[in-house]
Amino acid sequence: MNLKPYLPETAALTKYLFFTGKGGVGKTSVSCATALSLADSGHRVFLISTDPASNLQDVFETDLDNKGKTIPGVPGLTVANLNPEEAAKEYRESVVGPYRDKMPASVIQNMEEQLSGSCTVEIAAFNEFSHFITDDTLRTRYDYIIFDTAPTGHTLRMLELPSAWNSFIDQNTTGASCMGQLSGLGDKKAMYAKAVATLSDPGATTLMLVARPEKTPLLEARRASRELAGFGIQNQKLIINGLLDHALAGDAVSEAFYRKQHAALNAMPEDLKTYPAAMVPLRSYTISGIANIRRMLTPEPPVTTSSPTTPDAFPGLSPLIFDLDKRNKKVIFTMGKGGVGKTTIATAIALGLAKMGKHVHLTTTDPAGHISARSLNNPNIDVSNIDEARELEKYRDEVIGKARANGLSQADIDYIEEDLRSPCTQEIAVFRAFANIVEKAEDRVVVIDTAPTGHTLLLLNSTESYNKEMERSHADIPDAVRHLLPRLKNPAETEVVIVTLPEATPYYEAHRLEEDLNRAGIANTWWVIGASLQATDTRDPFLQVRAAGEIPWITRIARESGGHYAVIPWQA
């Protein structure tokens, strides 16, 4: 696939630009480079980040706030760093505050937990940038308004639910539905409608899909593209970030790296190929500081200095597997963001334990479903696959069926059907499927390549919240669900292995996951760092410099995990 370099000045950009993509693909770097390029060309630019893991302050080496600050040395550029976690905290208090002296402490606690999840952060972020996208003063003051992180289809789908805007929500903030998280929207419907209208105006807004030349980020770009197109956001462009434009002859790692990237591009989803596309080359240096951001979109001279990698200096998976066997763990989760290698690590753990004589049940939510007992060729391993779409359909059918059997009115059934379209319903449905799988731990080791989020576990850990969810949905509480939470909170049985990459964004996302688990009373011991160039024997000077940038993150994880970590080399 022949891609031209990304040059903002020739990209026919609209006033509003929203950069979206998986964590770690380079949204912040590309959006910052775009803002700098446009400002250097004489345009007035406002750059706003709503990313919880934003490093804009490091990029511009300036303390930022949520109002906007001009950047020294860059005339015409103003930058704001919105903190959606802080916005979510304020949003929670606006909802819960009026009830503090009127309701029991247990109910207040449930309300706060209901409003602690990622849905609330999304709503708070949307609330923040809705002000920027609907402000007429900003629209006339700036030539370009750039957002680092776009609203998700998940957010827009929640806002589309009619019951988000009626009084029923104000009385149901203790349920496990997403709906309670919308209870503080109040009179903002007109502002949100204007924001969505601007988003869907192709003459005003462009959605910049950022992806790396890898399978999972490209699939995520397609998913985001389709979801947002469904809400009328049709003006989309694709940016492939981090493309290696050479392979050092004779170096197996760089040649495999090059081939893998181009194979992913050739297998890109067909609908992505219809969008205007450009590429940003892989850079050897850290994208931080104005000077490096400025040169990100300009040609880079060849790297000739060498920084040798140390492939044998890091622990592999063997100590982790021996520890799991020694402590007789029965339920093992690999958790982390998509694309970090959860399925690969779960499979390696299952194979390792099976070779030690354990009977293992391996399950995955990988939609590709490419793992089978036959492919693993080990009689001690059984394999199953959780189909999230099928589980959601089963759960919906069960809930509606029971509602009809209980003689509910059509108006009540209509409300339940609408609520079941709430995105959090899928978390509940998949949670039940996990519970059934974990029941198998009675007579074998269960290895699962992902898990319910810490937010879900906290919600369902509350008897009042879970009973409210069951009452609301008219579903039964299966025995497997009753048994699951005590089992997950038992450190003698359960181990959560956090999987990440040796880079800033994946690390910070994994760290937030760990905090969620700790809040839910589920501790983890082991971390696995995947796809490490530092753990290879590459002789390519360019990749060696890239590898050197991994060392601070590997060192940090080694220290914070108390030495309970493994490093997996980058593999083709």
Side-chain angles (χ1 to χ4, degrees), residues 92-416:
R92 280 194 295 273
E93 187 56 31
S94 73
V95 176
V96 177
Y99 298 98
R100 287 199 183 278
D101 298 326
K102 302 175 183 177
M103 303 182 77
S106 61
V107 174
I108 296 298
Q109 182 179 353
N110 284 326
M111 291 173 70
E112 289 178 332
E113 190 50 59
Q114 169 65 30
L115 291 164
S116 72
S118 57
C119 299
T120 302
V121 176
E122 289 184 19
I123 290 296
F126 188 81
N127 184 57
E128 289 286 313
F129 69 58
S130 288
H131 288 288
F132 288 97
I133 200 172
T134 58
D135 188 311
D136 290 335
T137 301
L138 292 177
R139 182 173 55 81
T140 56
R141 182 182 302 167
Y142 294 100
D143 301 312
Y144 295 97
I145 298 177
I146 300 174
F147 293 87
D148 168 25
T149 299
T152 66
H154 180 183
T155 304
L156 296 175
R157 195 158 62 251
M158 282 193 287
L159 295 172
E160 192 182 53
L161 295 173
S163 287
W165 304 102
N166 69 29
S167 60
F168 185 91
I169 285 306
D170 292 323
Q171 304 162 24
N172 286 272
T173 55
T174 59
S177 163
C178 278
M179 304 291 280
Q181 307 196 36
L182 307 180
S183 55
L185 298 181
D187 59 356
K188 297 178 180 177
K189 186 175 183 179
M191 182 180 73
Y192 288 177
K194 183 177 179 180
V196 172
T198 303
L199 283 168
S200 58
D201 179 356
T205 298
T206 306
L207 184 71
M208 312 295 281
L209 302 162
V210 183
R212 289 195 180 275
E214 300 165 12
K215 177 183 176 181
T216 303
L218 287 168
L219 290 175
E220 173 67 14
R222 179 183 65 177
R223 185 198 63 76
S225 170
R226 287 180 171 178
E227 277 202 338
L228 294 170
F231 290 95
I233 306 173
Q234 302 282 356
N235 187 12
Q236 303 184 12
K237 296 181 186 293
L238 177 65
I239 299 175
I240 303 297
N241 182 39
L243 186 64
L244 182 67
D245 57 4
H246 79 287
L248 184 67
D251 182 65
V253 175
S254 66
E255 289 181 355
F257 199 102
Y258 182 87
R259 287 196 303 270
K260 184 177 181 180
Q261 287 194 338
H262 285 269
L265 290 179
N266 290 334
M268 181 192 300
E270 290 298 321
D271 36 355
L272 287 185
K273 294 179 181 178
T274 64
Y275 294 128
M279 71 90 180
V280 177
L282 186 68
R283 296 309 186 192
S284 62
Y285 48 84
T286 300
I287 308 298
S288 184
I290 293 175
N292 281 351
I293 289 291
R294 268 203 172 105
R295 64 184 181 130
M296 182 181 176
L297 301 182
T298 60
E300 180 179 7
V303 175
T304 56
T305 57
S306 177
S307 178
T309 53
T310 52
D312 299 323
F314 305 108
L317 280 179
S318 294
L320 184 160
I321 293 170
F322 281 120
D323 183 64
L324 295 174
D325 177 62
K326 179 182 177 181
R327 293 193 287 155
N328 198 31
K329 295 291 185 175
K330 303 290 287 182
V331 181
I332 301 162
F333 290 108
T334 56
M335 296 182 68
K337 291 294 183 181
V340 297
K342 296 188 301 292
T343 302
T344 300
I345 301 305
T347 305
I349 290 171
L351 282 166
L353 291 173
K355 289 176 182 176
M356 299 174 77
K358 299 283 189 182
H359 186 187
V360 180
H361 184 93
L362 171 65
T363 192
T364 174
T365 55
D366 184 352
H370 61 275
I371 296 176
S372 67
R374 182 177 179 181
S375 68
L376 298 180
N377 192 30
N378 190 304
N380 287 339
I381 299 181
D382 303 319
V383 179
S384 63
N385 178 273
I386 295 177
D387 185 320
E388 296 189 4
R390 187 168 64 242
E391 294 298 334
L392 179 58
E393 184 178 359
K394 282 168 51 181
Y395 181 66
R396 283 174 170 164
D397 290 346
E398 175 187 337
V399 170
I400 295 300
K402 288 189 176 294
R404 295 189 189 282
N406 289 337
L408 268 68
S409 69
Q410 187 58 47
D412 288 336
I413 290 174
D414 288 345
Y415 173 76
I416 292 171

Side-chain angles (χ1 to χ4, degrees), residues 501-505 507-508 529 549-558:
L501 300 175
E503 301 171 17
T505 300
Y507 163 77
Y508 286 120
I529 304 167
E550 298 176 357
I551 294 175
W553 303 107
I554 296 174
T555 302
R556 185 168 186 167
I557 291 169

